[in-house]
Amino acid sequence: MHKLTLEQLCASLKSGPGGLAQNEAQRRLAEFGPNQVEQIGGEKLARRLLREFTHFFALILWLAAGLAFFAEWNDPGQGMATLGAAIVGVIMINGAFSFWQEYRAEKALSALRSLLPNTATALRDGKAVQVTAAELVPGDVVLLAAGDNIPADCRLIEAEGVRVNTATVSGESLPKARDTRATQEAELLLNPNVLLAGTALVSGKAKALVFATGMRTAFGDIARLTQTARAPLSPLQREIMHLSRLVAIFASTLGAVFFLIGTWLGLSFWENLIFAIGIIVANVPEGLLPTVTMSLALATQRMAKKNALVRHLPAVETLGAATVICTDKTGTLTQNRMSVQWLFHSGTLAAPAALAASEHAAPLFEVMRHCHDLRAVEFDGHRQWLGDPLEIALLEATPHEKTDAAAFRRSGEIPFDTERKRMSVVGNTTRGSMLYCKGAPETVLPLCVSHWYDGSVQALDETQLARLQAAQENMAQQGLRVLALAYRELPVQVPGERREENLVLAGLVGLHDPPRPEVAQAISTCRGAGLRVIMVTGDHPSTAQAIARTIGLAQKPHVVTGDMLRNMTDTQLQLALGTPDVLFARIGAEQKMRIVQALKRQGEIVAVTGDGVNDAPALKCADIGIAMGIAGTDVAKEAADIVLLDDNFATIVQAVEEGRTVYDNIRKFLTYILTSNIPELVPYLAFVLFRIPLPLTIVQILAVDLGTDMLPALALGAEAPDPQVMRRPPRPRRQRLLNWPLLARAYLFLGPLEAIAAMAAFFFVLQAGGWQYGTPLAGHDALYLAATSACLSAIIVMQVINVFLCRHPTASLFSLPFFDNRMIFWGIALELGLILLIDYTSWGNALIGTAPIEAGVWLFILPFALAMLGLEELRKALARKL
């Protein structure tokens, strides 16, 4: 469409400058559908909800709950109904929490729709009428003015001073000029005669012919990419799934095996069934998912205090696993605020403040003050400027306005366009009619015949041109955008096409979007943490290179532009990504997502930052999407997992530290939780193999897993970051959360020590009560209840010591700050408080099946706890030497 002449385009769309007839517009609306972003075949809500309660881990718990209810139905009064209800509660809590995550796609869709304007001015039957944006059809002619959002993909018919903010679809930080000329530019986004849906008119007014609506627009393509890009499972989610399968298969297999053993030993069917359920319940860490959830929730609160808002809980840990951060430039690495850094005037390079009091610099500041398209608005009693950030920067760099500003009356403009690369403003002053011009030096300098030098106009000779070119090169090498500013007194008889001749050069200006001061240190921290940072921006390559050098991201950047990337195969792209100091400039939406996909094929865990609609597909495709909270669009925020409230790259680095800490802490409380599985399992094995009374009931197991263990485990999840956490590389992608060292420590060392203490306490009470081996004990016998209470209490005491042992896998307990995590002490207080209530209150005895135990039992348990402490300290000392 953009390569056709206007006559050809109108003919192909069967329309014209006067627009469509109302009946034809209605017919086309029925044929092409409304101009809105549509939802692409989403999964039904009920099915999503069902999926959260039918994953493998949940199915095992459902099986255990079903068996418990069946046992209660067959033999009431054994407490199996309480067990079943507790297990169902665990399933419900976990499922309900996970379900809300499924709304992200719908929210992103709503945000995409909200960017499109609700109404538009269209020509129908030759008259301008207000219609809803959804009613626009191909062939409609729309009228647009400064500040309007573009409602559909349009081709310009008439344009006066049109500049468009394309940041939402291109990532460009500066508005672009648009005109009506046909060109052979292949890329729709780069074509100067096209206005795209979702962008906004910054200045000027336009008449445009709609050629694409709804999902057929470039905006619709981005919506389609956002909806079809499947959000990947986070590393933590994958690990929890893997852990769930392992534990579930192990528990089910063990339960079935010992059911057969019990049958062989002559146990009744119901004894065997209770035994099998006990084996399953003892090996399934029911408190794991709630503890992980609460640990992540606490981490999100800590990150919120650091200006990182987490929308998707597993994203906390995923960010800690990241190996690559693909970051945009404007507003993330830089301050998103153009500023004038240098002025070249009268042969001297100086800061604006140094020339502010100089009368000789008055012409230069005069051009800066008047040559713009800004609008002044009053806000809270102060005047603010709206428009191009570059022009705001020029205006803010001028001294306080003088009398000529009030006297200046604008009377005309020669607008900027991509071919001229300059703009001029004409106005009346006390000196008469003046023209002020600014633009690229290569287009302005040839129009200048003289220059302002030390208070007078002098001829512009070769020597002066050489100095100007040297100054321009100097500023360009610093990554500054260089503009030439000129002026002339304008005689009335000068025709329009010759007004920009015989100009007087006022000077050169170097503008810069400064890097954030903390970014350089953040980049250095990333490098020390083995975390690669790649700049992916829509801005100009030279600007990207200069910023990269300034912040220490790359000293010799290897630049890949959008045009270069377009011609690369996937293999070539992956090879380019392997190049040190690579950065990407002039990158579009699909290209950004392609870069992310290429990195993921290389085995990287990719974090991506973005703020525009164009970034949404990449944000969703990445392992972790990070949107900007200040400059970001709603689309980007809804597609992302984390939103930076300060748009600051340094905040990402702090969040990475928090994410790595979360992973370390999950392993700590996983060790803590799994350790108690062994003293919960051994009583059932002893019950079957040695024909003794059952030392621990299923309800008592749940009292540990869902009661006493929860807060101490959560306290381990709130441990402070290890000082070395950002001085080591990211963990390998294939590293398992549940690995052999962790299992060996929990199941083969700490767990057996707890099991010995628990069984010893059980037999200690039985022996003190006169029990003889082989003597049966009824389930309501006071001695039996006291013995099971001793077994349960021993597990709790050992877990009190264990929570300190699990604070670090190798560091000595005595080398760690003892009181820096007060939550541990609150957890221990609750743990001890619960076991005292369970042991010494009538309702605790009735609910959990316990009885009060004597003080001597506690004294008997204590040496076992101290022995575990000493043995674990010995193991850690040996581990540190290896």
Side-chain angles (χ1 to χ4, degrees):
M1 292 294 180
H2 51 287
K3 294 183 179 181
L4 302 176
T5 64
L6 279 173
E7 292 76 15
Q8 291 171 329
L9 183 60
C10 287
S12 67
L13 291 172
K14 295 182 173 55
S15 183
L20 298 172
Q22 184 64 31
N23 334 348
E24 178 62 13
Q26 292 296 327
R27 188 194 70 76
R28 294 190 185 190
L29 183 62
E31 179 180 353
F32 295 104
N35 176 37
Q36 62 188 25
V37 177
E38 300 170 358
Q39 185 169 5
I40 300 171
E43 189 178 14
K44 291 184 178 179
L45 201 66
R47 186 169 181 175
R48 285 187 226 145
L49 180 61
L50 180 64
R51 189 175 63 238
E52 299 302 335
F53 300 102
T54 54
H55 55 76
F56 196 73
F57 191 78
L59 290 176
I60 294 299
L61 293 178
W62 280 120
L63 175 62
L67 290 173
F69 286 125
F70 181 69
E72 177 70 20
W73 171 78
N74 183 77
D75 187 12
Q78 300 300 313
M80 300 303 286
T82 303
L83 167 65
I87 296 174
V88 170
V90 172
I91 300 170
M92 292 298 172
I93 291 170
N94 290 329
F97 166 73
S98 299
F99 178 64
W100 71 268
Q101 300 169 8
E102 295 293 332
Y103 283 102
R104 290 195 302 145
E106 286 78 5
K107 290 182 178 179
L109 178 64
S110 300
L112 281 164
R113 287 174 175 158
S114 70
L115 270 182
L116 294 177
N118 294 323
T119 61
T121 303
L123 294 179
R124 296 279 173 87
D125 296 318
K127 297 179 181 179
V129 295
Q130 286 286 320
V131 298
T132 64
E135 293 177 299
L136 289 177
V137 295
D140 260 327
V141 173
V142 292
L143 304 178
L144 301 163
D148 288 345
N149 286 339
I150 312 301
D153 286 356
C154 311
R155 169 74 180 272
L156 282 166
I157 298 175
E158 298 176 6
E160 182 180 331
V162 170
R163 287 190 299 168
V164 181
N165 181 354
T166 64
T168 54
V169 294
S170 72
E172 289 278 3
S173 58
L174 298 175
K176 298 296 179 184
R178 294 291 183 256
D179 54 45
T180 60
R181 292 168 294 174
T183 71
Q184 295 305 307
E185 170 63 54
E187 184 69 25
L188 184 67
L189 180 60
L190 302 178
N191 206 286
N193 62 26
V194 168
L195 304 179
L196 296 179
T199 62
L201 211 64
V202 173
S203 64
K205 55 185 180 179
K207 183 179 182 181
L209 177 64
V210 174
F211 63 82
T213 58
M215 296 300 287
R216 299 176 183 84
T217 63
F219 191 90
D221 287 339
I222 294 173
R224 187 177 292 105
L225 282 172
T226 302
Q227 294 184 63
T228 56
R230 185 176 178 180
L233 290 175
S234 75
L236 180 61
Q237 287 173 316
R238 290 194 294 268
E239 283 303 302
I240 293 295
M241 286 178 63
H242 176 74
L243 173 62
S244 300
R245 290 191 182 98
L246 283 181
V247 169
I249 292 171
F250 176 72
S252 301
T253 302
L254 204 61
V257 167
F258 278 91
F259 183 88
L260 296 176
I261 292 174
T263 303
W264 178 64
L265 292 174
L267 293 178
S268 70
F269 175 81
W270 291 109
E271 284 181 311
N272 258 335
L273 180 61
I274 293 174
F275 169 63
I277 294 173
I279 291 290
I280 293 173
V281 172
N283 281 278
V284 174
E286 294 86 359
L288 175 62
L289 292 186
T291 306
V292 169
T293 298
M294 288 187 284
S295 178
L296 292 173
L298 286 174
T300 64
Q301 294 176 15
R302 294 193 297 270
M303 290 174 70
K305 295 176 182 178
K306 299 176 181 178
N307 293 315
L309 178 64
V310 178
R311 301 186 59 254
H312 183 206
L313 283 188
V316 178
E317 188 278 331
T318 308
L319 190 56
T323 58
V324 176
I325 299 176
C326 292
T327 177
D328 54 5
K329 177 188 70 68
T330 305
T332 309
L333 300 175
T334 67
Q335 298 178 26
N336 197 21
R337 186 176 62 84
M338 296 289 286
S339 62
V340 176
Q341 187 163 341
W342 296 109
L343 299 175
F344 185 75
H345 171 73
S346 297
T348 303
L349 199 63
L355 296 177
S358 172
E359 293 185 3
H360 292 169
L364 179 60
F365 288 126
E366 194 173 324
V367 180
M368 293 166 63
R369 186 178 299 127
H370 299 313
C371 191
H372 61 76
D373 282 324
L374 302 174
R375 289 187 298 129
V377 296
E378 292 293 327
F379 184 76
D380 286 343
H382 301 283
R383 184 169 64 172
Q384 293 186 354
W385 295 97
L386 299 180
D388 189 336
L390 180 146
E391 293 183 339
I392 293 174
L394 290 175
L395 191 59
E396 288 180 344
T398 62
H400 294 296
E401 296 187 15
K402 300 179 183 179
T403 54
D404 67 321
F408 179 78
R409 287 192 171 186
R410 180 172 172 147
S411 59
E413 175 185 347
I414 306 174
F416 176 91
D417 64 47
T418 53
E419 191 171 301
R420 287 166 21 87
K421 295 182 181 178
R422 64 181 183 271
M423 74 162 293
S424 296
V425 170
V426 178
N428 297 317
T429 70
T430 53
R431 304 196 307 276
S433 182
M434 296 290 294
L435 178 140
Y436 301 107
C437 177
K438 73 172 186 293
E442 60 268 25
T443 67
V444 175
L445 289 178
L447 303 175
C448 297
V449 296
S450 56
H451 70 120
W452 182 263
Y453 192 92
D454 282 344
S456 63
V457 176
Q458 299 182 14
L460 191 58
D461 56 24
E462 293 296 326
T463 301
Q464 296 300 327
L465 282 172
R467 289 181 180 175
L468 287 164
Q469 289 169 355
Q472 178 188 352
E473 184 65 23
N474 182 16
M475 287 189 281
Q477 288 178 355
Q478 298 177 48
L480 306 184
R481 181 173 181 180
V482 183
L483 298 179
L485 276 61
Y487 69 97
R488 69 171 294 188
E489 293 183 11
L490 200 62
V492 177
Q493 64 272 22
V494 176
E497 65 273 12
R498 296 181 57 190
R499 287 181 292 179
E500 291 181 330
E501 296 179 356
N502 302 318
L503 300 182
V504 179
L505 181 69
L508 302 179
V509 178
L511 295 110
H512 185 39
D513 182 6
R516 293 179 180 270
E518 60 275 19
V519 163
Q521 179 58 48
I523 294 290
S524 176
T525 302
C526 286
R527 189 170 285 112
L531 189 58
R532 189 180 179 196
V533 180
I534 300 175
M535 186 190 298
V536 182
T537 180
D539 268 349
H540 193 278
S542 62
T543 305
Q545 290 183 73
I547 291 295
R549 292 191 191 98
T550 302
I551 63 177
L553 180 60
Q555 293 308 312
K556 295 182 179 179
H558 174 73
V559 180
V560 177
T561 64
D563 289 337
M564 295 166 62
L565 181 57
R566 200 172 292 113
N567 297 319
M568 284 183 176
T569 64
D570 288 344
T571 301
Q572 289 173 320
L573 173 57
Q574 287 191 218
L575 290 172
L577 285 166
T579 305
D581 293 346
V582 67
L583 62 84
F584 295 84
R586 296 295 195 207
I587 296 299
E590 292 189 36
Q591 292 176 325
K592 190 167 187 177
M593 187 166 72
R594 188 182 169 200
I595 292 167
V596 173
Q597 291 169 335
L599 286 166
K600 291 176 72 174
R601 283 195 299 270
Q602 291 180 333
E604 307 285 1
I605 296 178
V606 187
V608 173
T609 72
D611 54 13
V613 173
N614 62 309
D615 294 318
L619 290 171
K620 191 171 182 182
C621 176
D623 293 292
I624 178 76
I626 306 169
M628 303 299 108
I630 299 173
T633 61
D634 287 343
V635 180
K637 294 173 188 175
E638 296 297 341
D641 303 289
I642 293 176
V643 178
L644 299 185
L645 302 180
D646 57 0
D647 292 11
N648 193 339
F649 181 83
T651 300
I652 301 175
V653 179
Q654 293 179 340
V656 169
E657 180 183 41
E658 193 66 54
R660 291 189 177 188
T661 301
V662 164
Y663 182 81
D664 289 346
N665 289 347
I666 288 175
R667 300 194 77 175
K668 292 174 186 177
F669 69 65
L670 185 58
T671 304
Y672 176 79
I673 289 173
L674 292 180
T675 296
S676 64
N677 279 6
I678 298 301
E680 292 170 354
L681 175 63
V682 167
Y684 282 85
L685 300 181
F687 166 66
V688 170
L689 298 177
F690 301 110
R691 307 290 291 174
I692 63 172
L694 182 63
L696 196 70
T697 67
I698 297 175
V699 174
Q700 289 168 349
I701 290 174
L702 288 181
V704 175
D705 290 352
L706 298 177
T708 59
D709 269 3
M710 290 291 283
L711 194 56
L714 186 58
L716 288 172
E719 282 281 279
D722 188 315
Q724 302 299 316
V725 73
M726 292 301 284
R727 297 176 187 171
R728 62 179 188 240
R731 71 176 187 274
R733 189 181 184 97
R734 297 186 181 277
Q735 184 185 88
R736 291 297 184 189
L737 185 66
L738 186 64
N739 59 10
W740 172 243
L742 189 151
L743 275 175
R745 185 180 174 212
Y747 279 178
L748 301 181
F749 186 68
L750 296 174
L753 291 175
E754 290 194 4
I756 291 170
M759 295 302 296
F762 177 72
F763 286 116
F764 176 76
V765 172
L766 287 182
Q767 185 181 24
W771 177 80
Q772 298 293 321
Y773 180 76
T775 305
L777 283 174
H780 57 272
D781 188 289
L783 178 59
Y784 173 71
L785 293 176
T788 61
S789 301
C791 182
L792 174 63
S793 301
I795 295 174
I796 302 305
V797 171
M798 298 298 279
Q799 283 291 80
V800 168
I801 296 298
N802 192 33
V803 73
F804 290 105
L805 301 180
C806 290
R807 291 186 67 191
H808 199 283
T810 58
S812 169
L813 165 64
F814 304 104
S815 69
L816 302 174
F818 196 67
F819 295 104
D820 66 332
N821 187 351
R822 295 184 179 180
M823 196 171 176
I824 285 181
F825 295 95
W826 284 109
I828 290 172
L830 178 64
E831 191 169 27
L832 293 175
L834 282 175
I835 191 59
L836 292 176
L837 290 174
I838 289 170
D839 286 350
Y840 297 106
T841 64
S842 57
W843 62 265
N845 295 161
L847 181 64
I848 308 299
T850 57
I853 57 177
E854 296 178 358
V857 177
W858 297 100
L859 294 175
F860 176 82
I861 296 170
L862 189 59
F864 290 93
L866 295 175
M868 184 169 74
L869 171 62
L871 289 171
E872 174 65 355
E873 282 294 311
L874 178 61
R875 185 203 65 82
K876 288 183 177 181
L878 293 173
R880 290 194 297 271
K881 290 181 179 180
L882 296 177

